[in-house]
Amino acid sequence: MKKVELIGVSKSYDKKTEVISDITVSIEPGEFFVLVGPSGCGKSTMLRMIAGLEEITGGVLKIGDVESNWLPPSKRDISMVFQNYALYPHLTVEENIVFGLHVKKVPKPERKKRCEDVAEMLGLTPYLKRKPRELSGGQRQRVALARAIVNQAPICLMDEPLSNLDAKLRAHMRSEIRQIQRRLGITMIYVTHDQVEAMTMGDRIMILHDGKIQQIGQPIDIYNNPANPFVATFIGSPPMNIGEGKVGSAKNEIVFSEEAKIAVPEKDWPLLKSDTIIIGVRPEHLKAATKETKAEDKVYVKTTNVEVLGNETIFSFDMGGREWMAKWTGQWRIDVGDMVPIVINYDSLCLFDSETEKIIKTPSDIENHVFDKEVFI
Amino acid sequence: MMMSTPKKILFYILLVISAFLVFFPVMYAFMISFMSGGEILQGKFFPESIHFDNYVKVFDRLPLMNYLINSFVVSFGVMLGQLVVCSLAAYAFVFIPFKGRDFIFFLFISTMMIPWEATMIPNFFTIQKLDWMNTYQGLTVPFFALAFGTFLLRQHFKTIPKELHEAAEVAGLGKFAFFWRVILPVSKTSLVTLGAYGFLTTWNMYLWPLLVTSTDQVRTVQIGLKQLQSQEVATEWGVVMAGVIVVIIPTLLLLFAGQRQLQKGLTQGALK
Ligand SMILES: Nc1ncnc2c1ncn2[C@@H]1O[C@H](COP(=O)(O)OP(=O)(O)OP(=O)(O)O)[C@@H](O)[C@H]1O
Ligand SMILES: [Mg+2]
């Protein structure tokens, strides 16, 4: 268990453009910290800087309260899973797994035991005597994982370690990694571009975009309270619907198409300072209109695509030139082209400032989805 | 490759003809080595009977065994020396970043354009000053640094993913341990190629051993063959060819052994 701290860390490959800029974050001992972001945002670069494989061009990196900018990788107490596995092609799976232990001069019986344990855990026992080239992509990836886990280093860095596994195995590995991390108390820094992995595994998530921090926080907080439209659309599936809204001249309603206007309660009028505003609403917060719904609250939308996924129905429609989606539980018999009446509730809206893109209002009616343990009798 | 039958036949005929053309001198030498002087002068191709007189004579006339051992020691020494020097140099050029690395590499490579013969005189003086005449080190050491070998290995080392290096760094493997335990095993193919090349070129070397040897003690087999020719007024070609065949055998053996290794290495393929 060790703390990892980044203070104003930045990285530039060509001394002109920064691929990572001003990252300040403190990763607690034993924490499962997930780095997530779209392809090319600098996740691997950041991980490699922590590992000492890439020079830090600005700022300070502290590992366990010791400034470590110039420490060689082997002195940083880390183990690492590489994005492209980096298995030694001339060694068998077993030799690959114990390679690091061999270097650290762990006694042979202990090596063997640890290797067998981890192989068992990751389902690699039948392949121990094979060479990496005789394995499938997913199996290689598991060998790479095993090699990192077997070290029991206090800090573990993983770069998209599950990207090549099928859905079922991936779900299994997620919980396996999580359990190992808890049991050994490893400080884990985990890179992924899969928001499901980020949401389910992380104690905290950091969302990166173009090398800049968008938001750091617990998965649920980020989901409920996204800092900006980028985060809102990145976390959650299907993504949050985003639209441009005009603020009505009386500053008491938001207009985002002829037929869709939303009245703003009086207490929130001070929020509507500028003429335009960015609104966001999660697909599951768009409700079907019922008989009791007042006519002026109904919005008729024309469906462009319908997907029925067993117990939920997702349909898309056009709203002010953007594709929006709604997610309703149950199997709804909706056809493409149908006019569907929906309700956009003001309480479930997110509002973002149109200039700074900062959030100014979070959904306030989400309590009907949050259950405390008191619910159980 | 799929080919129609007539095309295939044509191909094979062409191949056989060219193989015959290339192999003819060796075949002829092989035949002559069994002939007596009279038969050779008659210009026959096949000997009347197989007898080993010429082989007995060649071992009688020269300390051929001695020469063979010398050749073997020298060739093997040069091969090992080249492998060690070239692989270490290539390692430095690929895995150790230092200022002016590319420049030094190209300087290094450009020595390939200087013919070996041009450096012969200065090398000879060096060896003489070191008092290495008629020694194994005089025969081997000048050939250790081989630009071509460094180039070959560097190209191969460059194909090794850099993550392998990084994984070793994270695991705490030292520079030399990485070289020894990862780089060399992974590059077996290139090392075998370079080894075979080094061995064969040294085995066939003539001019340098001629210069630096003046006694039978460390003289190599190629010089021995030349001695056979000039010792008598009328050269006994049968004996010379017997010598040639004896000299070729180790080369062929090495080629066969090397080829098996090479093929194995090549079919192992992808690094990942
Ligand atoms: N060695 C390098 N030299 C110059 N630019 C680089 C280098 N390595 C990465 N980059 C650039 O830095 C940026 C971040 O790269 P990085 O590999 O960290 O992305 P990533 O977030 O890991 O993406 P992915 O999810 O696709 O793996 C990219 O724009 C990339 O082009
Ligand atoms: Mg990456």
Side-chain angles (χ1 to χ4, degrees):
Chain A
M1 270 207 217
K2 264 191 174 181
K3 188 172 166 177
V4 177
E5 216 176 341
L6 287 82
I7 304 158
V9 167
S10 63
K11 170 78 189 173
S12 161
Y13 282 107
D14 55 3
K15 297 198 170 74
K16 287 196 283 283
T17 47
E18 288 190 333
V19 290
I20 290 277
S21 31
D22 196 25
I23 302 283
T24 300
V25 62
S26 164
I27 299 159
E28 301 303 321
E31 185 176 11
F32 199 115
F33 191 82
V34 176
L35 253 172
V36 64
S39 186
C41 69
K43 306 181 295 291
S44 298
T45 306
M46 193 176 141
L47 203 68
R48 292 163 53 79
M49 285 198 292
I50 297 173
L53 301 170
E54 208 76 72
E55 190 190 323
I56 297 171
T57 47
V60 178
L61 168 73
K62 282 185 178 175
I63 295 178
D65 290 324
V66 182
E67 189 174 326
S68 312
N69 281 30
W70 300 104
L71 225 52
S74 57
K75 298 256 153 52
R76 297 189 183 199
D77 283 333
I78 53 167
S79 60
M80 183 162 179
V81 178
F82 288 84
Q83 196 166 4
N84 63 355
Y85 324 141
L87 302 177
Y88 304 110
H90 61 293
L91 301 178
T92 63
V93 169
E94 184 173 10
E95 288 163 337
N96 259 295
I97 293 176
V98 299
F99 192 83
L101 300 181
H102 198 94
V103 175
K104 292 203 172 70
K105 304 213 166 50
V106 176
K108 194 153 184 209
E110 160 110 24
R111 264 193 334 236
K112 195 156 174 57
K113 177 158 184 320
R114 279 212 227 163
C115 172
E116 275 164 8
D117 285 352
V118 73
E120 174 74 41
M121 210 147 41
L122 300 179
L124 286 171
T125 317
Y127 312 115
L128 282 180
K129 293 281 172 268
R130 292 209 203 163
K131 292 272 174 71
R133 66 169 173 278
E134 298 157 350
L135 300 178
S136 74
Q139 289 161 348
R140 285 178 202 168
Q141 198 153 38
R142 277 181 281 158
V143 177
L145 258 175
R147 192 170 66 178
I149 291 168
V150 84
N151 267 327
Q152 305 187 350
I155 299 168
C156 187
L157 312 175
M158 293 192 177
D159 198 345
E160 303 190 19
L162 304 181
S163 57
N164 258 324
L165 306 182
D166 63 65
K168 192 165 157 236
L169 196 55
R170 191 182 295 201
H172 172 70
M173 286 296 160
R174 279 208 299 263
S175 71
E176 201 72 77
I177 293 178
R178 195 73 173 94
Q179 280 170 28
I180 294 166
Q181 181 264 341
R182 280 220 186 92
R183 196 170 64 233
L184 302 177
I186 300 170
T187 305
M188 176 77 81
I189 305 175
Y190 186 101
V191 166
T192 178
H193 55 229
D194 178 357
Q195 53 104 6
V196 178
E197 263 171 43
M199 291 289 286
T200 52
M201 298 175 86
D203 288 323
R204 274 193 308 158
I205 307 182
M206 169 161 129
I207 294 155
L208 267 183
H209 181 45
D210 287 341
K212 294 183 191 67
I213 298 181
Q214 302 299 308
Q215 193 170 7
I216 303 175
Q218 289 175 7
I220 289 302
D221 285 344
I222 290 183
Y223 185 83
N224 290 339
N225 194 354
N228 55 37
F230 177 81
V231 176
T233 50
F234 196 80
I235 296 292
S237 167
M240 183 185 274
N241 301 308
I242 296 287
E244 284 276 322
K246 287 199 183 58
V247 175
S249 49
K251 304 265 183 215
N252 61 359
E253 62 174 5
I254 301 169
V255 185
F256 50 105
S257 72
E258 290 291 305
E259 61 275 25
K261 292 189 181 124
I262 294 171
V264 178
E266 196 171 342
K267 68 173 170 55
D268 281 352
W269 286 355
L271 297 178
L272 309 176
K273 284 191 286 269
S274 55
D275 291 343
T276 57
I277 199 155
I278 301 170
I279 62 161
V281 56
R282 295 236 172 247
E284 54 271 32
H285 291 162
L286 290 172
K287 293 281 153 48
T290 55
K291 285 205 187 72
E292 291 88 52
T293 314
K294 279 178 276 169
E296 68 262 29
D297 287 345
K298 278 189 200 172
V299 180
Y300 280 91
V301 295
K302 193 168 169 214
T303 57
T304 54
N305 189 28
V306 182
E307 291 170 0
V308 183
L309 308 164
N311 69 339
E312 60 191 26
T313 305
I314 299 170
F315 63 92
S316 16
F317 53 90
D318 183 87
M319 178 66 81
R322 298 189 195 226
E323 187 184 52
W324 277 32
M325 288 192 226
K327 184 160 94 175
W328 294 348
T329 48
Q331 301 172 359
W332 292 73
R333 299 275 153 82
I334 305 173
D335 288 320
V336 175
D338 284 356
M339 295 299 287
V340 178
I342 59 168
V343 180
I344 304 173
N345 204 331
Y346 175 77
D347 287 337
S348 56
L349 283 188
C350 282
L351 296 181
F352 302 98
D353 190 289
S354 58
E355 259 163 51
T356 62
E357 299 211 325
K358 292 239 165 58
I359 193 158
I360 46 184
K361 174 196 172 294
T362 54
S364 50
D365 68 342
I366 50 169
E367 63 276 3
N368 50 359
H369 298 295
V370 179
F371 303 102
D372 268 318
K373 284 185 194 132
E374 290 87 78
V375 180
F376 307 123
I377 306 165
Chain B
M1 199 167 47
M2 293 292 281
M3 266 192 283
S4 60
T5 318
K7 222 175 172 181
K8 223 174 184 172
I9 292 171
L10 186 74
F11 253 84
Y12 272 88
I13 291 173
L14 283 176
L15 282 175
V16 168
I17 291 174
S18 37
F20 181 75
L21 282 178
V22 170
F23 212 58
F24 180 77
V26 181
M27 289 292 290
Y28 195 39
F30 186 67
M31 294 302 173
I32 290 178
S33 72
F34 294 113
M35 294 183 204
S36 64
E39 276 177 279
I40 298 168
L41 288 181
Q42 283 162 28
K44 284 185 185 164
F45 186 70
F46 292 105
E48 258 150 33
S49 64
I50 306 279
H51 51 89
F52 291 90
D53 285 1
N54 289 331
Y55 288 88
V56 177
K57 268 191 213 157
V58 79
F59 277 97
D60 259 4
R61 206 165 290 169
L62 282 179
L64 193 61
M65 213 50 218
N66 213 354
Y67 287 175
L68 275 173
I69 291 173
N70 285 341
S71 259
F72 193 77
V73 169
V74 170
S75 302
F76 202 74
V78 169
M79 180 183 90
L80 279 187
Q82 281 181 352
L83 285 179
V84 170
V85 172
C86 292
S87 58
L88 282 172
Y91 176 82
F93 280 130
V94 176
F95 290 101
I96 303 174
F98 56 87
K99 230 183 179 160
R101 182 169 72 169
D102 289 341
F103 177 74
I104 292 177
F105 178 71
F106 285 115
L107 204 67
F108 198 83
I109 286 304
S110 62
T111 62
M112 275 207 292
M113 283 188 258
I114 304 170
W116 155 246
E117 286 76 10
T119 58
M120 185 109 70
I121 307 297
N123 271 338
F124 179 76
F125 284 130
T126 314
I127 297 297
Q128 207 178 25
K129 283 271 147 48
L130 287 171
D131 210 9
W132 279 2
M133 300 296 285
N134 288 315
T135 59
Y136 283 136
Q137 59 276 34
L139 280 166
T140 52
V141 173
F143 300 94
F144 280 4
L146 180 70
F148 165 72
T150 310
F151 178 70
L152 184 86
L153 292 182
R154 183 186 101 121
Q155 291 317 95
H156 195 267
F157 290 179
K158 270 176 110 74
T159 65
I160 296 171
K162 74 173 196 305
E163 280 82 2
L164 229 51
H165 187 210
E166 293 168 348
E169 271 188 318
V170 171
L173 208 59
K175 280 195 165 63
F176 185 75
F178 174 66
F179 172 71
W180 187 251
R181 291 177 54 185
V182 180
I183 294 294
L184 290 190
V186 165
S187 322
K188 240 190 309 191
T189 354
S190 299
L191 292 175
V192 170
T193 315
L194 180 62
Y197 171 85
F199 191 93
L200 291 182
T201 44
T202 320
W203 185 271
N204 293 331
M205 204 159 41
Y206 178 72
L207 207 49
W208 183 252
L210 188 69
L211 273 179
V212 297
T213 59
S214 51
T215 63
D216 281 354
Q217 215 183 355
V218 296
R219 193 162 279 170
T220 59
V221 84
Q222 306 291 349
I223 316 280
L225 287 183
K226 185 69 188 163
Q227 277 179 338
L228 277 179
Q229 259 182 66
S230 46
Q231 260 175 5
E232 267 136 83
V233 191
T235 310
E236 269 193 78
W237 285 110
V239 179
V240 176
M241 290 309 156
V244 167
I245 297 299
V246 171
V247 171
I248 289 178
I249 289 171
T251 322
L252 286 180
L253 285 182
L254 188 85
L255 262 184
F256 285 133
Q259 204 184 16
R260 278 230 341 263
Q261 256 295 322
L262 264 180
Q263 259 172 1
K264 217 169 83 194
L266 285 178
T267 46
Q268 274 177 6
L271 262 175
K272 247 197 193 170

